[in-house]
Amino acid sequence: MRDVKATHFITAGVFLLPLIALAFSRAPVMLSLVLYANLYALALYDWHSFRLPNMLNASLLITGFMATYALGGDMVSHLIGAVAGFAFVVFLDMAYRRLRGRAGIGMGDAKFLAGAGAWAGWVGLPPTLFIASIVGLGTILIKSIAGKRHESAEPLPFGPYLCLGLWLTWLYFDRIDM
Protein backbone atom coordinates (compact mmCIF):
# COMPACT_ATOMS: atom_id res chain seq x y z
CA MET A 1 0.00 0.00 0.00
CA ARG A 2 2.84 2.37 0.78
CA ASP A 3 4.32 1.98 -2.71
CA VAL A 4 0.99 2.87 -4.30
CA LYS A 5 0.77 6.10 -2.27
CA ALA A 6 4.37 6.98 -3.14
CA THR A 7 3.69 6.34 -6.83
CA HIS A 8 0.61 8.59 -6.78
CA PHE A 9 2.54 11.30 -4.94
CA ILE A 10 5.39 11.17 -7.46
CA THR A 11 2.97 11.12 -10.39
CA ALA A 12 1.07 14.11 -9.03
CA GLY A 13 4.34 15.97 -8.44
CA VAL A 14 5.57 15.33 -11.95
CA PHE A 15 2.32 16.53 -13.47
CA LEU A 16 2.03 19.56 -11.16
CA LEU A 17 5.59 20.72 -11.78
CA PRO A 18 4.78 22.32 -15.16
CA LEU A 19 2.26 24.58 -13.42
CA ILE A 20 5.22 26.47 -11.92
CA ALA A 21 6.26 27.45 -15.46
CA LEU A 22 3.17 29.68 -15.63
CA ALA A 23 4.83 32.10 -13.22
CA PHE A 24 7.55 32.81 -15.81
CA SER A 25 5.24 33.30 -18.79
CA ARG A 26 3.37 36.20 -20.34
CA ALA A 27 0.39 33.96 -21.17
CA PRO A 28 -2.99 35.01 -19.73
CA VAL A 29 -3.34 33.32 -16.36
CA MET A 30 -7.04 32.38 -16.37
CA LEU A 31 -6.97 30.92 -19.88
CA SER A 32 -3.73 29.14 -19.04
CA LEU A 33 -5.35 27.53 -16.01
CA VAL A 34 -8.24 26.29 -18.18
CA LEU A 35 -5.73 24.78 -20.59
CA TYR A 36 -3.63 23.31 -17.79
CA ALA A 37 -6.63 21.62 -16.14
CA ASN A 38 -7.56 19.99 -19.42
CA LEU A 39 -3.98 18.93 -20.17
CA TYR A 40 -3.52 17.57 -16.66
CA ALA A 41 -6.64 15.40 -17.00
CA LEU A 42 -5.61 14.19 -20.46
CA ALA A 43 -2.05 13.37 -19.37
CA LEU A 44 -3.12 11.44 -16.28
CA TYR A 45 -5.81 9.54 -18.15
CA ASP A 46 -3.45 8.54 -20.96
CA TRP A 47 -0.64 7.68 -18.55
CA HIS A 48 -2.85 5.14 -16.76
CA SER A 49 -5.08 3.87 -19.57
CA PHE A 50 -3.22 4.52 -22.87
CA ARG A 51 -6.28 6.44 -24.09
CA LEU A 52 -7.10 10.08 -24.73
CA PRO A 53 -10.88 10.21 -24.22
CA ASN A 54 -13.11 11.99 -26.72
CA MET A 55 -14.78 14.13 -24.03
CA LEU A 56 -11.48 15.63 -22.88
CA ASN A 57 -10.25 16.08 -26.44
CA ALA A 58 -13.53 17.81 -27.34
CA SER A 59 -13.11 20.06 -24.33
CA LEU A 60 -9.58 20.93 -25.48
CA LEU A 61 -10.85 21.79 -28.97
CA ILE A 62 -13.80 23.89 -27.79
CA THR A 63 -11.88 25.80 -25.12
CA GLY A 64 -9.09 26.41 -27.63
CA PHE A 65 -11.46 28.15 -30.01
CA MET A 66 -13.06 30.03 -27.11
CA ALA A 67 -9.62 31.22 -25.93
CA THR A 68 -8.70 32.30 -29.44
CA TYR A 69 -11.93 34.27 -29.70
CA ALA A 70 -11.48 35.82 -26.23
CA LEU A 71 -7.95 36.95 -27.11
CA GLY A 72 -9.00 38.32 -30.48
CA GLY A 73 -6.84 35.79 -32.31
CA ASP A 74 -7.03 34.81 -35.96
CA MET A 75 -9.74 32.13 -35.97
CA VAL A 76 -8.75 30.96 -39.46
CA SER A 77 -5.18 30.22 -38.32
CA HIS A 78 -6.51 28.19 -35.40
CA LEU A 79 -9.07 26.37 -37.55
CA ILE A 80 -6.27 25.49 -39.97
CA GLY A 81 -4.25 24.32 -36.95
CA ALA A 82 -7.06 22.07 -35.77
CA VAL A 83 -7.55 20.50 -39.20
CA ALA A 84 -3.81 20.18 -39.84
CA GLY A 85 -3.18 18.61 -36.42
CA PHE A 86 -5.84 15.97 -37.00
CA ALA A 87 -4.83 15.32 -40.62
CA PHE A 88 -1.14 14.99 -39.74
CA VAL A 89 -1.77 12.13 -37.32
CA VAL A 90 -4.21 10.40 -39.67
CA PHE A 91 -1.61 10.60 -42.46
CA LEU A 92 1.13 9.36 -40.11
CA ASP A 93 -1.03 6.43 -39.03
CA MET A 94 -1.83 5.52 -42.65
CA ALA A 95 1.87 5.56 -43.53
CA TYR A 96 2.75 3.46 -40.48
CA ARG A 97 0.00 0.92 -41.27
CA ARG A 98 1.26 0.63 -44.83
CA LEU A 99 4.84 0.17 -43.65
CA ARG A 100 4.28 -2.09 -40.63
CA GLY A 101 0.90 -3.67 -41.34
CA ARG A 102 -0.62 -2.55 -38.02
CA ALA A 103 -1.84 0.55 -36.24
CA GLY A 104 0.93 2.60 -34.71
CA ILE A 105 -0.79 5.65 -33.32
CA GLY A 106 -4.16 6.15 -31.71
CA MET A 107 -6.80 8.47 -33.07
CA GLY A 108 -6.95 10.08 -29.65
CA ASP A 109 -3.62 11.65 -30.56
CA ALA A 110 -5.16 13.01 -33.77
CA LYS A 111 -8.05 14.53 -31.83
CA PHE A 112 -5.61 15.92 -29.29
CA LEU A 113 -3.59 17.64 -32.01
CA ALA A 114 -6.79 19.12 -33.38
CA GLY A 115 -7.32 20.64 -29.94
CA ALA A 116 -3.68 21.74 -29.83
CA GLY A 117 -4.18 23.49 -33.17
CA ALA A 118 -7.25 25.24 -31.76
CA TRP A 119 -5.17 26.56 -28.85
CA ALA A 120 -1.85 27.34 -30.54
CA GLY A 121 -2.79 27.73 -34.21
CA TRP A 122 -0.99 26.01 -37.03
CA VAL A 123 2.26 27.76 -36.07
CA GLY A 124 2.14 26.10 -32.65
CA LEU A 125 1.92 22.54 -33.94
CA PRO A 126 5.61 22.07 -34.92
CA PRO A 127 7.01 23.16 -31.53
CA THR A 128 4.35 21.09 -29.73
CA LEU A 129 5.31 17.97 -31.68
CA PHE A 130 9.03 18.69 -31.41
CA ILE A 131 8.94 19.07 -27.62
CA ALA A 132 6.73 15.99 -27.22
CA SER A 133 8.98 13.87 -29.43
CA ILE A 134 12.23 14.97 -27.77
CA VAL A 135 10.89 14.38 -24.25
CA GLY A 136 9.32 11.05 -25.26
CA LEU A 137 12.53 9.84 -26.89
CA GLY A 138 14.51 11.12 -23.91
CA THR A 139 12.30 9.09 -21.60
CA ILE A 140 12.94 5.93 -23.60
CA LEU A 141 16.67 6.70 -23.66
CA ILE A 142 16.78 7.16 -19.89
CA LYS A 143 14.79 3.96 -19.46
CA SER A 144 17.27 2.04 -21.64
CA ILE A 145 20.27 3.52 -19.82
CA ALA A 146 18.68 2.34 -16.57
CA GLY A 147 18.62 -1.17 -18.05
CA LYS A 148 14.90 -1.31 -18.80
CA ARG A 149 14.66 -1.95 -22.51
CA HIS A 150 11.60 -0.57 -24.28
CA GLU A 151 10.21 -3.13 -26.71
CA SER A 152 9.05 -1.74 -30.05
CA ALA A 153 5.64 -3.43 -29.67
CA GLU A 154 5.23 -2.03 -26.15
CA PRO A 155 2.73 0.84 -26.19
CA LEU A 156 3.93 4.27 -25.13
CA PRO A 157 1.41 6.75 -23.76
CA PHE A 158 2.35 9.72 -25.94
CA GLY A 159 -0.42 11.94 -24.56
CA PRO A 160 1.56 13.20 -21.54
CA TYR A 161 4.38 14.27 -23.85
CA LEU A 162 1.93 16.00 -26.20
CA CYS A 163 0.40 17.75 -23.20
CA LEU A 164 3.80 19.01 -22.08
CA GLY A 165 4.60 20.12 -25.63
CA LEU A 166 1.36 22.10 -25.95
CA TRP A 167 1.76 23.59 -22.47
CA LEU A 168 5.27 24.88 -23.16
CA THR A 169 4.27 26.08 -26.62
CA TRP A 170 1.31 27.98 -25.15
CA LEU A 171 3.45 29.55 -22.43
CA TYR A 172 6.61 30.46 -24.30
CA PHE A 173 6.22 30.51 -28.07
CA ASP A 174 4.96 33.80 -29.38
CA ARG A 175 1.95 33.34 -31.56
CA ILE A 176 2.01 35.52 -34.66
CA ASP A 177 -1.78 35.65 -34.83
CA MET A 178 -2.55 36.81 -31.29
Side-chain angles (χ1 to χ4, degrees):
M1 185 69 158
R2 185 175 184 169
D3 290 335
V4 171
K5 286 182 182 179
T7 301
H8 289 305
F9 180 74
I10 291 168
T11 301
V14 165
F15 286 113
L16 287 174
L17 190 60
L19 191 55
I20 295 169
L22 181 56
F24 305 100
S25 170
R26 294 180 297 149
V29 174
M30 293 309 289
L31 290 175
S32 296
L33 291 174
V34 168
L35 174 60
Y36 184 79
N38 203 299
L39 294 176
Y40 183 83
L42 279 160
L44 274 179
Y45 200 94
D46 193 36
W47 188 262
H48 292 290
S49 70
F50 296 92
R51 289 189 58 245
L52 292 167
N54 289 337
M55 186 68 77
L56 291 175
N57 278 327
S59 172
L60 186 67
L61 183 73
I62 292 165
T63 57
F65 285 130
M66 290 171 65
T68 301
Y69 180 78
L71 293 172
D74 178 9
M75 292 299 283
V76 173
S77 171
H78 291 254
L79 180 60
I80 291 169
V83 171
F86 185 82
F88 173 74
V89 176
V90 169
F91 174 76
L92 192 63
D93 184 56
M94 287 173 26
Y96 188 87
R97 283 176 191 262
R98 181 172 215 110
L99 185 67
R100 302 283 300 229
R102 61 183 167 95
I105 192 166
M107 286 300 103
D109 295 323
K111 296 168 193 169
F112 177 91
L113 279 178
W119 273 93
W122 67 268
V123 297
L125 291 175
T128 297
L129 284 166
F130 180 75
I131 293 166
S133 299
I134 293 300
V135 175
L137 288 170
T139 301
I140 291 173
L141 180 63
I142 290 169
K143 186 177 175 182
S144 68
I145 290 171
K148 299 176 183 174
R149 182 180 157 98
H150 184 85
E151 299 297 326
S152 63
E154 181 183 348
L156 176 70
F158 197 54
Y161 306 112
L162 288 170
C163 290
L164 180 63
L166 177 56
W167 179 243
L168 293 176
T169 297
W170 169 257
L171 292 181
Y172 298 113
F173 286 80
D174 288 332
R175 292 168 297 282
I176 59 173
D177 62 345
M178 286 193 180

